[in-house]
Amino acid sequence: KLRLVGAMWGVIRARQGLPYERKTQEGFDVNAKHLVKFACMPNPEELPADSVTLAFERATHPKLTKLITADELVHRQKALAMIDKLCSAPIEIAKFLDVGLVPALNEGATDKDPTVRTLTSHIMVLIAQDKHGRERMHQGATVPVLQNLIVDEEEQVRAHACKCLSALCIEVSHPVTFEVVARGTVPMLVERCKEENTEV
């Protein structure tokens, strides 16, 4: 119908002796400009082989959690650094908990690399400060892992482990508090006080 109206209008204007120029649809002009702009953009540069990027929306948390136990050391370090940054928000902690962050952290705590253990232990502190995080750590048997970390060779790891145990016991009546005591953590801490430096 639009073509017919345009053709009739052109005939009428021709009989009247008036100039007629058919207008191009605005949508066509916009699309054409967009295609030209996109075609003129350079190809994106390739990312480094050791890069760790955020996935799209809900895929971010499973991807980063899985990378905690990746084969490449740099991937483990970068993933943990990103998780550490994201876990400053409670909603992000909840999303990580749902994809198995606690078991992954338990495994990361045994890593041979001190940077991985330091980042892992700090994230554990953030998780322990969250009510749901404490519950997941209780279910995930994290207390024995923390008992191993309080005798770690890295000072920062030991400090994080002690802080994490303190956060776990913030609710006196919580089951995880009873677990911390029942597993003999208190005598271990007392023993550590004899040799530990004042900063820890």
Side-chain angles (χ1 to χ4, degrees), residues 55-107:
F56 181 71
E57 294 186 352
R58 288 182 292 182
T60 294
H61 303 83
K63 175 183 177 181
L64 292 176
T65 301
K66 186 176 180 180
L67 285 175
I68 294 176
T69 55
D71 294 333
E72 294 293 333
L73 173 60
V74 67
H75 287 168
R76 301 198 299 273
Q77 292 176 342
K78 289 186 176 182
L80 284 164
M82 202 170 293
I83 293 172
D84 187 42
K85 183 177 180 180
L86 290 173
C87 280
S88 59
I91 189 171
E92 297 296 334
I93 291 178
K95 292 178 181 178
F96 276 116
L97 291 175
D98 288 339
V99 296
L101 178 62
V102 170
L105 291 176
N106 289 346
E107 189 170 346

Short mmCIF file of all heavy atoms in Angstrom, two decimals, residues 55-107:
data_model
loop_
_atom_site.label_atom_id
_atom_site.label_comp_id
_atom_site.label_asym_id
_atom_site.label_seq_id
_atom_site.Cartn_x
_atom_site.Cartn_y
_atom_site.Cartn_z
N ALA A 55 31.91 -14.11 33.41
CA ALA A 55 30.96 -14.67 32.47
C ALA A 55 29.69 -13.82 32.46
O ALA A 55 29.58 -12.83 33.19
CB ALA A 55 30.63 -16.12 32.86
N PHE A 56 28.72 -14.20 31.66
CA PHE A 56 27.49 -13.41 31.54
C PHE A 56 26.52 -13.79 32.65
O PHE A 56 26.13 -14.93 32.81
CB PHE A 56 26.84 -13.66 30.17
CG PHE A 56 25.59 -12.86 29.95
CD1 PHE A 56 25.66 -11.49 29.77
CD2 PHE A 56 24.36 -13.47 29.96
CE1 PHE A 56 24.51 -10.75 29.56
CE2 PHE A 56 23.20 -12.75 29.75
CZ PHE A 56 23.28 -11.38 29.55
N GLU A 57 26.16 -12.79 33.46
CA GLU A 57 25.14 -12.91 34.51
C GLU A 57 25.34 -14.13 35.41
O GLU A 57 26.35 -14.25 36.09
CB GLU A 57 23.75 -12.91 33.87
CG GLU A 57 23.40 -11.58 33.21
CD GLU A 57 21.98 -11.54 32.71
OE1 GLU A 57 21.30 -12.58 32.72
OE2 GLU A 57 21.53 -10.45 32.28
N ARG A 58 24.40 -15.08 35.39
CA ARG A 58 24.42 -16.18 36.35
C ARG A 58 25.57 -17.16 36.14
O ARG A 58 25.85 -17.99 37.00
CB ARG A 58 23.08 -16.94 36.29
CG ARG A 58 21.93 -16.16 36.90
CD ARG A 58 20.65 -16.96 36.87
NE ARG A 58 20.16 -17.14 35.52
CZ ARG A 58 19.03 -17.78 35.21
NH1 ARG A 58 18.30 -18.32 36.17
NH2 ARG A 58 18.64 -17.90 33.96
N ALA A 59 26.24 -17.07 35.00
CA ALA A 59 27.35 -17.99 34.74
C ALA A 59 28.64 -17.55 35.44
O ALA A 59 29.59 -18.32 35.52
CB ALA A 59 27.59 -18.10 33.24
N THR A 60 28.67 -16.33 35.95
CA THR A 60 29.89 -15.81 36.58
C THR A 60 30.30 -16.62 37.80
O THR A 60 31.45 -17.03 37.94
CB THR A 60 29.68 -14.34 37.00
OG1 THR A 60 29.52 -13.55 35.82
CG2 THR A 60 30.87 -13.82 37.79
N HIS A 61 29.37 -16.86 38.70
CA HIS A 61 29.69 -17.50 39.97
C HIS A 61 30.12 -18.96 39.80
O HIS A 61 31.11 -19.36 40.42
CB HIS A 61 28.50 -17.36 40.92
CG HIS A 61 28.09 -15.93 41.14
ND1 HIS A 61 27.27 -15.27 40.26
CD2 HIS A 61 28.42 -15.04 42.10
CE1 HIS A 61 27.09 -14.03 40.68
NE2 HIS A 61 27.78 -13.86 41.79
N PRO A 62 29.43 -19.76 38.99
CA PRO A 62 29.93 -21.13 38.77
C PRO A 62 31.30 -21.16 38.11
O PRO A 62 32.15 -22.00 38.46
CB PRO A 62 28.87 -21.75 37.86
CG PRO A 62 27.65 -20.93 38.04
CD PRO A 62 28.13 -19.55 38.34
N LYS A 63 31.53 -20.25 37.18
CA LYS A 63 32.81 -20.23 36.47
C LYS A 63 33.96 -19.92 37.42
O LYS A 63 34.98 -20.63 37.44
CB LYS A 63 32.77 -19.17 35.35
CG LYS A 63 34.10 -19.00 34.63
CD LYS A 63 34.04 -17.90 33.59
CE LYS A 63 35.40 -17.70 32.93
NZ LYS A 63 35.37 -16.60 31.93
N LEU A 64 33.81 -18.87 38.23
CA LEU A 64 34.88 -18.49 39.16
C LEU A 64 35.10 -19.56 40.22
O LEU A 64 36.24 -19.85 40.61
CB LEU A 64 34.55 -17.15 39.82
CG LEU A 64 34.57 -15.93 38.88
CD1 LEU A 64 34.13 -14.68 39.63
CD2 LEU A 64 35.95 -15.73 38.28
N THR A 65 34.02 -20.16 40.70
CA THR A 65 34.13 -21.21 41.71
C THR A 65 34.90 -22.40 41.17
O THR A 65 35.75 -22.99 41.85
CB THR A 65 32.74 -21.65 42.19
OG1 THR A 65 32.05 -20.51 42.74
CG2 THR A 65 32.84 -22.72 43.26
N LYS A 66 34.62 -22.76 39.94
CA LYS A 66 35.30 -23.89 39.32
C LYS A 66 36.79 -23.61 39.13
O LYS A 66 37.63 -24.52 39.25
CB LYS A 66 34.65 -24.20 37.96
CG LYS A 66 35.18 -25.45 37.28
CD LYS A 66 34.43 -25.73 36.00
CE LYS A 66 34.96 -26.99 35.32
NZ LYS A 66 34.22 -27.28 34.05
N LEU A 67 37.15 -22.35 38.88
CA LEU A 67 38.54 -21.99 38.63
C LEU A 67 39.40 -22.04 39.89
O LEU A 67 40.63 -22.00 39.81
CB LEU A 67 38.62 -20.60 38.00
CG LEU A 67 38.22 -20.50 36.53
CD1 LEU A 67 38.22 -19.05 36.07
CD2 LEU A 67 39.15 -21.33 35.66
N ILE A 68 38.77 -22.13 41.07
CA ILE A 68 39.55 -22.23 42.31
C ILE A 68 40.43 -23.47 42.29
O ILE A 68 41.51 -23.49 42.87
CB ILE A 68 38.60 -22.25 43.53
CG1 ILE A 68 37.87 -20.91 43.65
CG2 ILE A 68 39.37 -22.54 44.82
CD1 ILE A 68 36.86 -20.87 44.77
N THR A 69 39.96 -24.50 41.62
CA THR A 69 40.71 -25.76 41.55
C THR A 69 41.25 -26.00 40.14
O THR A 69 41.48 -27.15 39.75
CB THR A 69 39.81 -26.93 41.97
OG1 THR A 69 38.62 -26.93 41.16
CG2 THR A 69 39.40 -26.81 43.43
N ALA A 70 41.46 -24.94 39.37
CA ALA A 70 41.98 -25.08 38.01
C ALA A 70 43.43 -25.57 38.03
O ALA A 70 44.14 -25.45 39.03
CB ALA A 70 41.88 -23.75 37.28
N ASP A 71 43.86 -26.11 36.92
CA ASP A 71 45.24 -26.61 36.82
C ASP A 71 46.27 -25.48 36.81
O ASP A 71 47.34 -25.60 37.40
CB ASP A 71 45.39 -27.46 35.55
CG ASP A 71 44.57 -28.74 35.61
OD1 ASP A 71 44.32 -29.22 36.73
OD2 ASP A 71 44.18 -29.24 34.54
N GLU A 72 45.93 -24.39 36.13
CA GLU A 72 46.87 -23.27 36.02
C GLU A 72 46.85 -22.42 37.29
O GLU A 72 45.79 -21.96 37.72
CB GLU A 72 46.50 -22.39 34.81
CG GLU A 72 46.67 -23.06 33.47
CD GLU A 72 48.13 -23.34 33.15
OE1 GLU A 72 49.00 -22.61 33.66
OE2 GLU A 72 48.41 -24.29 32.40
N LEU A 73 48.02 -22.20 37.86
CA LEU A 73 48.13 -21.43 39.10
C LEU A 73 47.59 -20.02 38.92
O LEU A 73 46.88 -19.50 39.79
CB LEU A 73 49.59 -21.38 39.55
CG LEU A 73 49.90 -20.46 40.75
CD1 LEU A 73 49.10 -20.89 41.97
CD2 LEU A 73 51.39 -20.45 41.04
N VAL A 74 47.93 -19.38 37.82
CA VAL A 74 47.50 -18.00 37.61
C VAL A 74 45.98 -17.91 37.53
O VAL A 74 45.39 -16.92 37.96
CB VAL A 74 48.16 -17.42 36.32
CG1 VAL A 74 47.65 -18.13 35.08
CG2 VAL A 74 47.92 -15.92 36.23
N HIS A 75 45.33 -18.94 37.00
CA HIS A 75 43.86 -18.95 36.96
C HIS A 75 43.28 -19.04 38.36
O HIS A 75 42.30 -18.36 38.69
CB HIS A 75 43.36 -20.12 36.11
CG HIS A 75 43.58 -19.94 34.65
ND1 HIS A 75 43.44 -20.96 33.73
CD2 HIS A 75 43.96 -18.85 33.92
CE1 HIS A 75 43.70 -20.51 32.52
NE2 HIS A 75 44.03 -19.23 32.61
N ARG A 76 43.89 -19.85 39.21
CA ARG A 76 43.41 -19.99 40.59
C ARG A 76 43.57 -18.66 41.33
O ARG A 76 42.67 -18.22 42.05
CB ARG A 76 44.18 -21.10 41.31
CG ARG A 76 44.05 -22.46 40.66
CD ARG A 76 44.43 -23.60 41.60
NE ARG A 76 45.80 -23.54 42.07
CZ ARG A 76 46.84 -24.07 41.43
NH1 ARG A 76 46.66 -24.68 40.25
NH2 ARG A 76 48.07 -24.01 41.94
N GLN A 77 44.70 -18.03 41.14
CA GLN A 77 44.97 -16.77 41.84
C GLN A 77 44.02 -15.67 41.39
O GLN A 77 43.45 -14.94 42.22
CB GLN A 77 46.42 -16.34 41.61
CG GLN A 77 47.45 -17.24 42.26
CD GLN A 77 48.87 -16.83 41.93
OE1 GLN A 77 49.12 -16.10 40.96
NE2 GLN A 77 49.83 -17.30 42.71
N LYS A 78 43.83 -15.55 40.07
CA LYS A 78 42.97 -14.49 39.56
C LYS A 78 41.51 -14.73 39.91
O LYS A 78 40.77 -13.78 40.22
CB LYS A 78 43.15 -14.38 38.04
CG LYS A 78 44.48 -13.80 37.62
CD LYS A 78 44.55 -13.57 36.12
CE LYS A 78 45.86 -12.89 35.73
NZ LYS A 78 45.94 -12.61 34.28
N ALA A 79 41.07 -15.98 39.87
CA ALA A 79 39.69 -16.29 40.22
C ALA A 79 39.41 -15.95 41.68
O ALA A 79 38.39 -15.35 42.03
CB ALA A 79 39.39 -17.75 39.95
N LEU A 80 40.34 -16.33 42.57
CA LEU A 80 40.16 -16.05 43.99
C LEU A 80 40.19 -14.55 44.27
O LEU A 80 39.44 -14.06 45.12
CB LEU A 80 41.26 -16.76 44.79
CG LEU A 80 41.07 -18.27 44.95
CD1 LEU A 80 42.37 -18.93 45.40
CD2 LEU A 80 39.96 -18.56 45.94
N ALA A 81 41.05 -13.82 43.57
CA ALA A 81 41.10 -12.37 43.75
C ALA A 81 39.78 -11.72 43.35
O ALA A 81 39.29 -10.79 44.00
CB ALA A 81 42.25 -11.79 42.93
N MET A 82 39.18 -12.24 42.28
CA MET A 82 37.90 -11.70 41.82
C MET A 82 36.77 -12.07 42.78
O MET A 82 35.89 -11.26 43.08
CB MET A 82 37.61 -12.22 40.41
CG MET A 82 36.63 -11.36 39.62
SD MET A 82 36.54 -11.85 37.88
CE MET A 82 38.19 -11.40 37.32
N ILE A 83 36.79 -13.30 43.29
CA ILE A 83 35.79 -13.72 44.26
C ILE A 83 35.91 -12.90 45.53
O ILE A 83 34.91 -12.48 46.12
CB ILE A 83 35.94 -15.23 44.57
CG1 ILE A 83 35.61 -16.06 43.34
CG2 ILE A 83 35.04 -15.64 45.74
CD1 ILE A 83 35.91 -17.55 43.50
N ASP A 84 37.14 -12.67 45.96
CA ASP A 84 37.39 -11.87 47.16
C ASP A 84 36.78 -10.48 47.02
O ASP A 84 36.21 -9.93 47.97
CB ASP A 84 38.89 -11.78 47.39
CG ASP A 84 39.24 -11.12 48.71
OD1 ASP A 84 38.57 -11.43 49.72
OD2 ASP A 84 40.16 -10.28 48.74
N LYS A 85 36.88 -9.92 45.85
CA LYS A 85 36.33 -8.59 45.59
C LYS A 85 34.80 -8.62 45.56
O LYS A 85 34.14 -7.75 46.13
CB LYS A 85 36.88 -8.05 44.26
CG LYS A 85 36.42 -6.64 43.94
CD LYS A 85 37.06 -6.17 42.64
CE LYS A 85 36.60 -4.75 42.30
NZ LYS A 85 37.22 -4.28 41.03
N LEU A 86 34.24 -9.64 44.92
CA LEU A 86 32.78 -9.72 44.79
C LEU A 86 32.09 -10.03 46.11
O LEU A 86 30.96 -9.59 46.34
CB LEU A 86 32.41 -10.80 43.76
CG LEU A 86 32.74 -10.48 42.30
CD1 LEU A 86 32.48 -11.71 41.42
CD2 LEU A 86 31.91 -9.30 41.80
N CYS A 87 32.76 -10.76 46.99
CA CYS A 87 32.13 -11.19 48.25
C CYS A 87 32.00 -10.07 49.27
O CYS A 87 31.64 -10.33 50.42
CB CYS A 87 32.91 -12.36 48.85
SG CYS A 87 32.52 -13.94 48.07
N SER A 88 32.27 -8.84 48.86
CA SER A 88 32.02 -7.71 49.76
C SER A 88 30.53 -7.43 49.87
O SER A 88 30.09 -6.72 50.78
CB SER A 88 32.75 -6.47 49.25
OG SER A 88 32.32 -6.13 47.94
N ALA A 89 29.73 -7.99 48.96
CA ALA A 89 28.28 -7.79 48.97
C ALA A 89 27.58 -9.09 49.38
O ALA A 89 27.89 -10.15 48.83
CB ALA A 89 27.80 -7.36 47.58
N PRO A 90 26.65 -9.04 50.34
CA PRO A 90 25.94 -10.25 50.79
C PRO A 90 25.24 -11.00 49.68
O PRO A 90 25.21 -12.24 49.68
CB PRO A 90 24.94 -9.69 51.81
CG PRO A 90 25.55 -8.42 52.30
CD PRO A 90 26.27 -7.86 51.12
N ILE A 91 24.68 -10.28 48.71
CA ILE A 91 23.96 -10.95 47.63
C ILE A 91 24.91 -11.79 46.78
O ILE A 91 24.54 -12.86 46.27
CB ILE A 91 23.21 -9.92 46.74
CG1 ILE A 91 22.30 -10.66 45.76
CG2 ILE A 91 24.17 -9.00 46.02
CD1 ILE A 91 21.37 -9.73 45.00
N GLU A 92 26.15 -11.32 46.64
CA GLU A 92 27.14 -12.09 45.88
C GLU A 92 27.56 -13.33 46.66
O GLU A 92 27.78 -14.40 46.08
CB GLU A 92 28.35 -11.22 45.57
CG GLU A 92 28.06 -10.01 44.70
CD GLU A 92 27.60 -10.40 43.31
OE1 GLU A 92 27.95 -11.51 42.84
OE2 GLU A 92 26.88 -9.60 42.68
N ILE A 93 27.68 -13.20 47.97
CA ILE A 93 28.01 -14.35 48.81
C ILE A 93 26.96 -15.43 48.66
O ILE A 93 27.26 -16.62 48.53
CB ILE A 93 28.14 -13.92 50.28
CG1 ILE A 93 29.38 -13.04 50.46
CG2 ILE A 93 28.23 -15.15 51.20
CD1 ILE A 93 29.57 -12.52 51.87
N ALA A 94 25.69 -15.02 48.68
CA ALA A 94 24.59 -15.98 48.54
C ALA A 94 24.66 -16.72 47.21
O ALA A 94 24.45 -17.94 47.15
CB ALA A 94 23.25 -15.26 48.66
N LYS A 95 25.01 -16.01 46.15
CA LYS A 95 25.11 -16.64 44.83
C LYS A 95 26.28 -17.63 44.78
O LYS A 95 26.16 -18.70 44.18
CB LYS A 95 25.29 -15.56 43.75
CG LYS A 95 24.06 -14.69 43.55
CD LYS A 95 24.32 -13.61 42.50
CE LYS A 95 23.10 -12.73 42.32
NZ LYS A 95 23.35 -11.65 41.33
N PHE A 96 27.38 -17.27 45.40
CA PHE A 96 28.53 -18.18 45.43
C PHE A 96 28.25 -19.41 46.28
O PHE A 96 28.67 -20.52 45.95
CB PHE A 96 29.77 -17.45 45.96
CG PHE A 96 30.51 -16.66 44.92
CD1 PHE A 96 30.62 -15.28 45.01
CD2 PHE A 96 31.11 -17.30 43.85
CE1 PHE A 96 31.30 -14.56 44.04
CE2 PHE A 96 31.81 -16.59 42.87
CZ PHE A 96 31.90 -15.21 42.97
N LEU A 97 27.54 -19.22 47.38
CA LEU A 97 27.20 -20.35 48.24
C LEU A 97 26.35 -21.37 47.51
O LEU A 97 26.50 -22.58 47.70
CB LEU A 97 26.47 -19.86 49.50
CG LEU A 97 27.29 -19.05 50.51
CD1 LEU A 97 26.39 -18.54 51.63
CD2 LEU A 97 28.43 -19.88 51.07
N ASP A 98 25.47 -20.90 46.65
CA ASP A 98 24.57 -21.79 45.91
C ASP A 98 25.28 -22.63 44.87
O ASP A 98 24.74 -23.65 44.42
CB ASP A 98 23.45 -20.98 45.24
CG ASP A 98 22.44 -20.43 46.24
OD1 ASP A 98 22.38 -20.99 47.35
OD2 ASP A 98 21.73 -19.46 45.91
N VAL A 99 26.47 -22.23 44.47
CA VAL A 99 27.20 -22.99 43.44
C VAL A 99 28.39 -23.75 44.02
O VAL A 99 29.27 -24.19 43.29
CB VAL A 99 27.66 -22.06 42.29
CG1 VAL A 99 26.47 -21.47 41.57
CG2 VAL A 99 28.57 -20.95 42.80
N GLY A 100 28.41 -23.90 45.35
CA GLY A 100 29.44 -24.74 45.96
C GLY A 100 30.75 -24.06 46.29
O GLY A 100 31.82 -24.68 46.17
N LEU A 101 30.70 -22.81 46.73
CA LEU A 101 31.94 -22.11 47.04
C LEU A 101 32.67 -22.72 48.24
O LEU A 101 33.90 -22.85 48.22
CB LEU A 101 31.65 -20.63 47.32
CG LEU A 101 32.87 -19.78 47.72
CD1 LEU A 101 33.89 -19.76 46.59
CD2 LEU A 101 32.44 -18.36 48.08
N VAL A 102 31.92 -23.11 49.27
CA VAL A 102 32.57 -23.63 50.49
C VAL A 102 33.42 -24.87 50.22
O VAL A 102 34.59 -24.93 50.63
CB VAL A 102 31.51 -23.89 51.59
CG1 VAL A 102 32.13 -24.65 52.76
CG2 VAL A 102 30.91 -22.58 52.07
N PRO A 103 32.90 -25.89 49.54
CA PRO A 103 33.76 -27.05 49.23
C PRO A 103 34.98 -26.68 48.39
O PRO A 103 36.07 -27.23 48.59
CB PRO A 103 32.83 -27.99 48.44
CG PRO A 103 31.45 -27.61 48.86
CD PRO A 103 31.51 -26.13 49.09
N ALA A 104 34.81 -25.72 47.48
CA ALA A 104 35.93 -25.29 46.66
C ALA A 104 36.99 -24.58 47.51
O ALA A 104 38.19 -24.76 47.31
CB ALA A 104 35.44 -24.36 45.55
N LEU A 105 36.54 -23.79 48.47
CA LEU A 105 37.48 -23.11 49.37
C LEU A 105 38.21 -24.11 50.26
O LEU A 105 39.41 -23.94 50.55
CB LEU A 105 36.74 -22.08 50.22
CG LEU A 105 36.20 -20.84 49.50
CD1 LEU A 105 35.40 -19.98 50.47
CD2 LEU A 105 37.30 -20.05 48.85
N ASN A 106 37.49 -25.12 50.71
CA ASN A 106 38.13 -26.16 51.53
C ASN A 106 39.29 -26.81 50.77
O ASN A 106 40.34 -27.11 51.35
CB ASN A 106 37.11 -27.22 51.92
CG ASN A 106 36.11 -26.71 52.95
OD1 ASN A 106 36.32 -25.67 53.56
ND2 ASN A 106 35.03 -27.44 53.13
N GLU A 107 39.07 -27.00 49.48
CA GLU A 107 40.13 -27.60 48.66
C GLU A 107 41.23 -26.59 48.38
O GLU A 107 42.42 -26.93 48.37
CB GLU A 107 39.54 -28.12 47.34
CG GLU A 107 40.51 -28.93 46.52
CD GLU A 107 39.86 -29.63 45.35
OE1 GLU A 107 38.61 -29.70 45.32
OE2 GLU A 107 40.59 -30.12 44.46
#
